Amino acid sequence: DYREVQDGDIVNIDVTTYSRGGYHGDLNETFCVGNVGSDGRHVVQTAFECLQAALAMVKPGTLYRDLGTTIHKVAAANKCSVVRTYCGHGIG
């Protein structure tokens, strides 16, 4: 996408690194550009709360599906939904 960032956009920057030693790292951050509307800010805040709730569960033995259930509950409590057919990528 070669479109310039505009006021009101929500931008996600995703950075991935690979090392010669075989290690792979991935991180991303979401930014609200200028005057993002209340619905957009609500979605960004809800996504952050979903992430925090899932991260609080991460430990050996936690089932992947349990993370999804928690994310779904947090999203629903904030009147948002989870796209069920999306497939992830990377090491997350």
Side-chain angles (χ1 to χ4, degrees):
D1 186 341
Y2 293 100
R3 185 177 71 82
E4 289 186 21
V5 175
Q6 298 176 15
D7 184 54
D9 283 347
I10 299 171
V11 178
N12 181 268
I13 297 176
D14 194 337
V15 178
T16 301
T17 61
Y18 298 94
S19 75
R20 292 183 182 153
Y23 295 100
H24 174 191
D26 183 71
L27 70 99
N28 77 81
E29 185 67 46
T30 301
F31 298 94
C32 293
V33 179
N35 299 305
V36 174
S38 61
D39 286 346
R41 288 193 180 277
H42 178 71
V43 168
V44 171
Q45 180 62 37
T46 298
F48 181 76
E49 290 174 15
C50 289
L51 173 64
Q52 294 302 308
L55 287 174
M57 299 175 60
V58 175
K59 64 183 179 201
T62 300
L63 299 176
Y64 186 71
R65 69 176 179 234
D66 293 340
L67 298 173
T69 298
T70 295
I71 290 167
H72 174 78
K73 287 178 181 178
V74 172
N78 284 284
K79 297 187 172 128
C80 291
S81 62
V82 175
V83 177
R84 297 172 88 58
T85 58
Y86 178 77
C87 294
H89 70 283
I91 62 173

